[in-house]
Amino acid sequence: MPKSQVRKKKVYTPPTDVRPTTSSSSRKPSPVWLPITAVALIVVGIGWLVLYYLSEQEYPVMAWGYWNLAVGFGAMVASLALLSRWR
């Protein structure tokens, strides 16, 4: 049986006029406070919810009622928004 010929493919090089103008090396690193604040918001949010459930809805703010859940989850969502900016 005859041996098939091997085709040599050219190495792909992207066109120079389509390359992105900003490179990843030109981006600045995140400030130090960003991950610290995000982790603090997660801890505060979870602590708020745990305190709300364990105190049988009397603490942290009894007058807010179920809005305490919104505060706890809102703190955690805010931390996710901060973490999406982290490089």
Side-chain angles (χ1 to χ4, degrees):
M1 180 137 205
K3 186 177 178 183
S4 63
Q5 294 179 351
V6 177
R7 290 188 290 165
K8 293 184 179 179
K9 292 184 178 182
K10 294 181 180 180
V11 176
Y12 175 74
T13 55
T16 57
D17 59 342
V18 185
R19 290 187 182 179
T21 57
T22 60
S23 65
S24 63
S25 63
S26 66
R27 290 182 167 181
K28 295 180 182 178
S30 299
V32 176
W33 60 266
L34 194 132
I36 296 170
T37 306
V39 170
L41 280 172
I42 290 172
V43 170
V44 166
I46 291 173
W48 191 283
L49 293 175
V50 168
L51 181 63
Y52 178 68
Y53 278 116
L54 291 180
S55 68
E56 297 178 356
Q57 303 174 0
E58 290 184 22
Y59 296 108
V61 182
M62 186 175 172
W64 289 359
Y66 287 113
W67 284 103
N68 284 303
L69 296 174
V71 171
F73 285 117
M76 290 188 288
V77 169
S79 71
L80 289 176
L82 280 177
L83 287 175
S84 69
R85 302 278 183 176
W86 189 22
R87 287 184 227 132

